[in-house]
């Protein structure tokens, strides 16, 4: 029997960081055994905010090298760049025409990101329709993402249902997979905001390219609170910093947050920070070391991308042809 299909992606808009790893990549690696997976680097999404072209190209290769270094097998999964499969942009347009202004206006990520821009590109607003196209093109069953993508996934599901109701069965309605821990890793400097690739404060984010000393330094400087109680309290803003460190440990080690908290009875924040640093160092080190070696062989990365693009395009074309026909476009003879 055919395995169920997974699609997920990361924007090559910055260096990949601990939140991307724990919220997404680490789970992708585990899921690849039981699913037919397409893992994309969504470069068309990256240009919804200004990008330096040279950096975008470099970050795209880096992203692929991180996917491989994390343990995603290019022989068993489809790894590709979104811009290599033009069907994404095409279906994206068709879905944009079926998305309501109100739906996009409600997107919290749009509100957050547009608030930081002087001139807001229209693509930033219509981004969730393109994301829906990414997913729906492949008849995806499951989309493993961090918590911040949940609202976008709901739109993808609504659009699938809307299109199916209007034009007949075109798309599978995808399910979202959000990991029980690690789905929302917070900034080390402002722990009520999520950790982000593009945070201007370099101490707020642990990048997968950071060296051991750098990771230790960032975790030792992590903001906690003026108290001394080590607890796991996701709903208490006061304890956001401490809760984040416990979450990071839980997501990496697989231990339960309560169990981790219990192991700190009578200990101080300093202990928690030192231990978390050690756990993060051990988690990132093998990925970083492999990734650096992979990045030196761009020829091999290009070959993987070429194979991925070919496989992705073939599948995407099957869905796109059905959609064009259903919408009433004349077939090219
Ligand atoms: P992006 O590039 O912002 O993030 C990639 C993945 O990392 C997760 N993530 C986090 N998880 C935990 N804690 C954090 N602080 C954190 N920050 C990011 C994200 O939830 C995501 O899973 N719109 C998407 C990319 C995308 C996509 C798709 C994803 C485009 N098309 C289709 C799935 C399916 C994005 O901007 O992710």
């Amino acid at each position: 029997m055919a395995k169920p299909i997974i699609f997920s992606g990361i924007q090559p808009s910055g260096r990949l960081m601990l939140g991307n790893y724990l919220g997404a990549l680490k789970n992708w690696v585990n899921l690849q055994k039981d699913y037919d997976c397409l893992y994309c680097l969504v470069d068309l999404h990256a240009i919804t905010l200004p990008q330096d072209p040279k950096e975008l190209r470099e970050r795209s290769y880096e992203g692929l090298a991180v996917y491989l270094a994390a343990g995603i097998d290019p022989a068993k999964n489809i790894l590709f760049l979104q811009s290599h499969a033009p069907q994404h942009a095409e279906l994206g347009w068709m879905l944009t025409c079926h998305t309501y202004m109100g739906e996009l206006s409600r997107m919290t990520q749009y509100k957050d990101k547009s608030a930081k821009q002087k001139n807001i590109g229209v693509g930033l607003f219509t981004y969730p329709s393109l994301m829906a196209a990414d997913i729906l093109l492949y008849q995806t069953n499951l989309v493993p993402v961090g918590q911040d993508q949940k609202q976008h996934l709901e739109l993808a599901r609504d659009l699938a249902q809307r299109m199916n109701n209007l034009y007949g069965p075109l798309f599978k309605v995808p399910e979202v997979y959000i990991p029980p821990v690690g789905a929302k890793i917070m900034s080390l400097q402002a722990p009520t905001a999520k950790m982000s690739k593009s945070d201007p404060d370099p101490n707020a984010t642990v990048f997968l390219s950071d060296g051991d000393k750098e990771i230790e330094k960032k975790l030792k400087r992590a903001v906690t609170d003026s108290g001394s109680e080590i607890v796991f309290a996701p709903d208490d803003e006061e304890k956001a910093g401490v809760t984040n460190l416990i979450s990071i440990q839980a997501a990496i080690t697989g231990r339960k947050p309560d169990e981790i908290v219990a192991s700190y009875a009578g200990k101080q924040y300093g202990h928690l920070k030192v231990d978390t640093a050690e756990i993060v160092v051990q988690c990132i080190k093998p990925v970083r070391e492999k990734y650096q070696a992979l990045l030196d062989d761009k020829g091999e990365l290009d070959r993987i991308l070429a194979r991925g693009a070919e496989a992705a395009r073939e599948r995407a074309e099957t869905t796109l042809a059905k959609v064009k026909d259903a919408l009433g476009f004349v077939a090219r003879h």
Side-chain angles (χ1 to χ4, degrees):
M1 218 176 71
K3 289 180 181 174
I5 297 168
I6 277 188
F7 181 96
S8 201
I10 299 182
Q11 293 192 54
S13 52
R15 283 178 293 159
L16 301 202
M17 49 86 189
L18 189 63
N20 301 130
Y21 185 72
L22 298 179
L25 258 179
K26 189 169 183 280
N27 309 305
W28 299 3
V29 176
N30 295 333
L31 292 163
Q32 66 183 333
K33 288 189 296 294
D34 302 317
Y35 289 83
D36 175 12
C37 306
L38 296 108
Y39 294 131
C40 190
L41 286 149
V42 289
D43 49 0
L44 298 178
H45 282 280
I47 62 161
T48 54
L49 288 175
Q51 298 296 328
D52 172 67
K54 196 162 155 269
E55 276 192 18
L56 178 63
R57 193 165 295 121
E58 198 50 36
R59 302 282 181 241
S60 299
Y61 281 118
E62 281 174 15
L64 177 64
V66 170
Y67 285 10
L68 300 171
I72 294 171
D73 183 349
K76 299 206 180 105
N77 306 281
I78 299 179
L79 306 184
F80 73 112
L81 279 171
Q82 188 186 24
S83 63
H84 287 182
Q87 293 85 357
H88 288 251
E90 283 192 72
L91 183 63
W93 172 250
M94 295 168 207
L95 295 182
T96 299
C97 294
H98 289 82
T99 310
Y100 308 137
M101 296 290 288
E103 288 175 316
L104 295 177
S105 308
R106 279 195 291 279
M107 292 293 165
T108 54
Q109 205 156 88
Y110 170 71
K111 290 188 208 165
D112 290 349
K113 289 188 177 176
S114 60
K116 296 180 194 140
Q117 297 299 309
K118 218 165 53 201
N119 290 314
I120 303 158
V122 176
L124 189 66
F125 185 65
T126 60
Y127 174 124
S129 307
L130 178 61
M131 177 162 162
D134 301 338
I135 298 164
L136 302 184
L137 265 180
Y138 300 99
Q139 306 297 340
T140 301
N141 298 88
L142 195 67
V143 186
V145 283
Q147 181 69 34
D148 61 343
Q149 298 300 318
K150 189 163 179 265
Q151 200 183 20
H152 292 161
L153 250 298
E154 279 159 13
L155 178 74
R157 287 170 54 84
D158 288 347
L159 281 171
Q161 276 156 348
R162 184 171 308 155
M163 297 295 282
N164 290 349
N165 288 338
L166 284 169
Y167 303 105
L170 288 172
F171 302 118
K172 194 146 281 153
V173 181
E175 300 293 331
V176 59
Y177 171 87
I178 294 177
V181 276
K184 196 167 185 196
I185 302 298
M186 309 310 275
S187 153
L188 297 180
Q189 289 301 312
T192 50
K194 68 173 183 174
M195 187 180 280
S196 153
K197 294 183 204 99
S198 51
D199 198 312
D201 180 350
N203 289 319
T205 306
V206 175
F207 294 100
L208 300 181
S209 53
D210 283 347
D212 297 352
K213 289 275 167 295
E214 185 93 33
I215 298 172
E216 281 164 14
K217 198 180 75 193
K218 288 181 182 181
L219 278 150
K220 278 183 198 152
R221 286 188 188 163
V223 167
T224 43
D225 56 77
S226 55
S228 59
E229 217 191 341
I230 298 182
V231 289
F232 180 72
D235 298 325
D236 183 352
E237 285 204 355
E238 259 298 292
K239 305 305 284 186
V242 172
T243 297
N244 191 33
L245 298 180
I246 305 277
S247 297
I248 291 172
Q249 284 203 22
I252 295 174
T253 62
R255 291 171 75 200
K256 296 239 172 332
D258 290 348
E259 196 189 309
I260 298 171
V261 167
S263 73
Y264 284 101
K267 294 193 179 160
Q268 282 146 26
Y269 289 169
H271 297 113
L272 175 65
K273 290 185 188 180
V274 168
D275 292 351
T276 310
E278 178 59 21
I279 289 169
V280 173
V281 163
Q282 292 311 326
C283 166
I284 288 183
K285 198 193 192 84
V287 178
R288 181 185 64 233
E289 286 172 355
K290 276 189 223 144
Y291 140 91
Q292 275 161 352
L294 288 158
L295 205 52
D296 288 338
D297 191 353
K298 292 252 168 65
E300 179 57 14
L301 297 180
D302 279 331
R303 280 188 288 279
I304 292 171
L305 288 176
R307 277 204 306 275
E310 202 181 328
R313 288 167 77 128
E314 195 181 308
R315 292 192 188 198
E317 196 48 46
T318 308
T319 300
L320 189 66
K322 272 204 310 193
V323 178
K324 282 182 174 170
D325 183 52
L327 261 58
F329 294 151
V330 173
R332 187 156 53 93
H333 290 289

